[in-house]
Amino acid sequence: MSGLDEFSLIARLFAPLAARHPGALGLTDDAALIDGPEGRQWAVTADAMVAGVHFLPDDPPDLIARKLIRVNLSDLAAMGARPFAVLLASCFPRDVTGDWLDRFASGLKTDCEEFSIALIGGDTVATPGPLTLALTAIGDVGRNSALLRSNARSGDDIWVSGTIGDSAFGLMVGRGEPVPVGPAERQWLLERYRLPRPRTTLGPALVGLAGAAMDISDGLVGDLGHICETSGVGAVIEAEKVPLSDAVRMAISAGFGSIVTVLTGGDDYELLFSAPAERATAIEALGRELDLRLTPIGRIIEGEGVRVEDSDGRALSLSGGGYRHFGG
Amino acid sequence: MSGLDEFSLIARLFAPLAARHPGALGLTDDAALIDGPEGRQWAVTADAMVAGVHFLPDDPPDLIARKLIRVNLSDLAAMGARPFAVLLASCFPRDVTGDWLDRFASGLKTDCEEFSIALIGGDTVATPGPLTLALTAIGDVGRNSALLRSNARSGDDIWVSGTIGDSAFGLMVGRGEPVPVGPAERQWLLERYRLPRPRTTLGPALVGLAGAAMDISDGLVGDLGHICETSGVGAVIEAEKVPLSDAVRMAISAGFGSIVTVLTGGDDYELLFSAPAERATAIEALGRELDLRLTPIGRIIEGEGVRVEDSDGRALSLSGGGYRHFGG
């Protein structure tokens, strides 16, 4: 069955089981919310990664561990939550070596320190299949302050952090495709793919500024579509405003890939958020304070769906709605 | 490398990452603790299950889902926590059918209702390997009231709930071994293996009565060894006091299996707990109230390790320390 059918089926089957707890947000957001102490809430999210699907079996073990953590912290950031702890369920192939485990644990340690989080639990089992890892991440956010996908309103600006599409081009570098950039740019793109940088400082700082937020994991346009669907709005992106790195700009100029790759490529792990127009100055100031590029790329409108416009206001056609893990 | 080496290595590698958060309990307990609202704590635990390791690929999908939930709720019960919500990370083989998913979701639904919990999040990905599931369960317990493995004290009685060993014999039934009992007993043993009954009511009711507690998943003696190690004590079990079901008693009487199978078999998911001797009357009353067999089987002593004695006080020799998932 196709990826899309699968997703719908799962939404249909699993979402009703969320009804009992409002903090589950109908399984439509980056994380669930449960009550914490004294005016706080815990955001809780879980992501799985499988060798050969989400990373290559011979990727460096420390990078696998760090990507797993970062992908989850990115979900927390998208809720405006500050990372606190993780639980790790590891299914190791029986031929895993002590050296491999050492390097894997070393990656965990590096990022636990980098992001001031603790490993507080989990499970370790053997698998006859590929290395499979599931991480649950817990972060804290003020009660009723989380950045929800459902908070986009018509008239809001749409913003993104960092540059978009680097990871899609980095994956092509990793696959050995002839991305026409210099060795330094190739390495930089590959790093962007292998080791995303979750916006753990930006996310909590956006509480009170942003309306809706999510992290871009399945592609900018597809993910913005999720915000639109959950908020009951539409969106327009101005393609030429989408911030590109020098490396991606260089590759596209040389005729490799296109803005469609940028708009639909996955694994950016930048934050995508909406905000009322009057907060633009405060958001720009925040970007300067964090030394992080924050760029308005369009606006939320009434209606539904995401329209991408070129500089003449003409709709740009995209094939497909982004990367989907199932079938992918 | 052997199962034991693997476990030690992981403990050595992962436990230091827990140091930042005291509620991680050094990764030595059934769940971690984080602060909840108004004098409560959340107990959080994660377990993974792999087709071909923890269940058979052609097991009924609803039972796979329900066992996954129950194994995790058993960990919460062992902390004295009341189940609240779960997150599910599913790695489905690409050939999974809509019918299979329907039945799997139906099992989730049954047990979400049975235990009054919500599915609040997770992830769904494809795997080229076997079906792999990781569940995170969250339950609540009064602050500083959780039943910790480290709370066993010399002189305490050792108690178990239910009957022990049914699951080990049930697994043999499932494997088609000639367990010499009637068809009704065979079916009952198989059910005990396939669909454990987490002691979700008993666990919270033991807060204030029990000292240490854990659920029996790797075998009674091995698991009691964990309590001893964490509490810095030893233990003596009187073999003839270990409560057996009629079916297991019948099988052993007919020369199939032995008390060693009972003492070291895994997957019981009964609660094992210690309690000061003066609480025996209250614990017996609780058992009557819950209509659940609660049996004292020995005592905590100074020293270390677990000694099993026969009715003459002679040490019983057991080969191995219980079922270990790694290598198993």
Side-chain angles (χ1 to χ4, degrees):
Chain A
M1 73 183 61
S2 81
L4 195 61
D5 289 344
E6 205 68 67
F7 263 75
S8 315
L9 185 59
I10 287 162
R12 180 171 69 73
L13 292 174
F14 288 179
L17 309 181
R20 194 182 292 271
H21 180 56
L25 305 169
L27 304 184
T28 62
D29 221 306
D30 296 283
L33 295 169
I34 65 175
D35 283 346
E38 297 103 38
R40 311 294 301 171
Q41 281 182 311
W42 296 112
V44 189
T45 183
D47 266 305
M49 283 177 31
V50 181
V53 180
H54 302 91
F55 56 88
L56 302 173
D58 57 356
D59 276 350
D62 57 326
L63 286 190
I64 294 172
R66 297 172 74 189
K67 183 161 187 177
L68 177 69
I69 287 182
R70 287 164 180 238
V71 163
N72 278 278
L73 297 194
S74 182
D75 281 322
L76 295 183
M79 300 295 285
R82 206 175 306 275
F84 173 71
V86 295
L87 294 91
L88 172 64
S90 312
C91 311
F92 291 120
R94 286 172 208 278
D95 62 357
V96 67
T97 64
D99 175 61
W100 194 99
L101 285 172
D102 253 330
R103 293 163 64 199
F104 179 76
S106 148
L108 289 179
K109 182 165 186 287
T110 301
D111 271 7
C112 281
E113 285 171 2
E114 164 98 25
F115 297 105
S116 301
I117 55 177
L119 177 72
I120 63 169
D123 193 17
T124 302
V125 301
T127 178
L131 171 65
T132 301
L133 304 162
L135 196 88
T136 299
I138 304 173
D140 90 291
V141 61
R143 209 168 289 187
N144 304 319
S145 299
L147 306 173
L148 307 183
R149 291 188 188 176
S150 55
N151 280 345
R153 300 289 172 264
S154 173
D156 283 358
D157 293 326
I158 299 167
W159 296 75
V160 292
S161 64
T163 51
I164 306 301
D166 302 326
S167 194
F169 282 81
L171 176 59
M172 293 189 279
V173 169
R175 284 178 177 159
E177 296 184 31
V179 182
V181 294
E185 286 81 12
R186 292 177 66 85
Q187 189 56 38
W188 184 85
L189 288 170
L190 192 59
E191 286 301 307
R192 287 278 283 165
Y193 167 67
R194 278 195 170 162
L195 197 62
R197 195 175 177 76
R199 298 306 182 183
T200 51
T201 307
L202 175 63
L206 284 175
V207 170
L209 287 177
M214 70 182 292
D215 70 327
I216 308 175
S217 55
D218 292 345
L220 174 57
V221 170
D223 284 335
L224 183 53
H226 293 308
I227 286 184
C228 288
E229 203 176 321
T230 316
S231 293
V233 296
V236 176
I237 294 177
E238 296 173 60
E240 88 281 6
K241 289 194 177 169
V242 173
L244 305 182
S245 62
D246 291 345
V248 164
R249 196 177 296 278
M250 196 182 300
I252 293 178
S253 299
F256 189 93
S258 74
I259 187 70
V260 176
T261 321
V262 170
L263 294 169
T264 62
D267 287 341
D268 286 314
Y269 300 107
E270 294 293 348
L271 291 188
L272 166 68
F273 58 98
S274 69
E278 65 269 21
R279 295 192 186 145
T281 312
I283 292 170
E284 282 161 2
L286 177 63
R288 283 191 300 274
E289 185 192 325
L290 301 180
D291 194 19
L292 174 61
R293 191 163 168 179
L294 299 179
T295 311
I297 60 165
R299 62 194 181 285
I300 300 291
I301 58 173
E302 289 184 17
E304 59 183 18
V306 178
R307 176 184 161 97
V308 183
E309 292 183 352
D310 68 13
S311 50
D312 298 323
R314 284 177 305 215
L316 221 139
S317 154
L318 309 169
S319 63
Y323 177 82
R324 289 186 175 271
H325 286 295
F326 214 92
Chain B
M1 76 182 61
S2 83
L4 194 62
D5 289 345
E6 205 69 67
F7 262 77
S8 315
L9 186 59
I10 287 163
R12 180 171 68 73
L13 292 174
F14 289 178
L17 309 182
R20 195 183 293 270
H21 181 55
L25 305 168
L27 304 183
T28 61
D29 221 306
D30 296 282
L33 296 169
I34 65 174
D35 282 346
E38 298 103 41
R40 311 296 299 170
Q41 280 183 310
W42 296 113
V44 189
T45 183
D47 267 305
M49 283 177 31
V50 180
V53 181
H54 303 91
F55 56 89
L56 301 174
D58 57 355
D59 276 351
D62 57 325
L63 286 190
I64 294 172
R66 296 173 75 188
K67 182 160 187 177
L68 177 68
I69 286 181
R70 287 163 181 238
V71 163
N72 277 277
L73 297 193
S74 181
D75 281 322
L76 296 184
M79 300 294 286
R82 206 175 306 276
F84 173 71
V86 295
L87 293 91
L88 172 63
S90 311
C91 310
F92 291 120
R94 286 170 207 279
D95 61 356
V96 67
T97 65
D99 175 61
W100 194 97
L101 285 172
D102 252 330
R103 292 163 66 198
F104 179 76
S106 149
L108 290 179
K109 182 166 186 288
T110 301
D111 271 7
C112 280
E113 286 170 1
E114 164 100 25
F115 297 105
S116 300
I117 55 176
L119 177 72
I120 63 169
D123 193 16
T124 303
V125 301
T127 177
L131 171 66
T132 302
L133 303 162
L135 197 88
T136 300
I138 304 174
D140 90 291
V141 61
R143 207 168 291 187
N144 304 319
S145 300
L147 306 172
L148 307 184
R149 291 189 187 174
S150 55
N151 280 345
R153 300 288 172 263
S154 173
D156 283 358
D157 293 326
I158 299 167
W159 295 76
V160 292
S161 65
T163 51
I164 306 300
D166 302 327
S167 194
F169 283 81
L171 175 60
M172 294 190 278
V173 169
R175 284 179 177 158
E177 297 184 32
V179 183
V181 294
E185 286 82 10
R186 291 177 66 85
Q187 189 56 38
W188 184 85
L189 288 170
L190 191 60
E191 285 300 307
R192 286 278 285 167
Y193 167 67
R194 278 195 169 162
L195 196 63
R197 196 175 175 75
R199 299 306 183 184
T200 52
T201 307
L202 174 63
L206 284 175
V207 170
L209 287 177
M214 70 182 291
D215 69 326
I216 308 174
S217 55
D218 292 346
L220 173 58
V221 171
D223 284 334
L224 182 54
H226 291 309
I227 286 184
C228 288
E229 204 177 320
T230 316
S231 293
V233 296
V236 175
I237 295 177
E238 297 174 60
E240 89 280 7
K241 289 194 177 169
V242 174
L244 305 182
S245 62
D246 291 345
V248 164
R249 194 177 299 278
M250 196 183 302
I252 293 179
S253 298
F256 189 93
S258 74
I259 188 69
V260 176
T261 320
V262 170
L263 294 169
T264 62
D267 288 340
D268 286 315
Y269 299 107
E270 295 292 349
L271 291 189
L272 167 68
F273 57 98
S274 70
E278 65 269 22
R279 295 193 186 144
T281 313
I283 291 169
E284 281 161 4
L286 177 63
R288 283 191 300 274
E289 185 192 324
L290 302 181
D291 193 21
L292 175 62
R293 189 163 168 180
L294 300 178
T295 311
I297 60 166
R299 63 196 181 282
I300 300 291
I301 58 172
E302 289 184 17
E304 60 183 17
V306 178
R307 175 184 162 100
V308 183
E309 292 183 351
D310 67 14
S311 50
D312 298 323
R314 284 177 305 213
L316 222 138
S317 155
L318 308 168
S319 62
Y323 177 83
R324 290 187 174 268
H325 285 296
F326 215 92

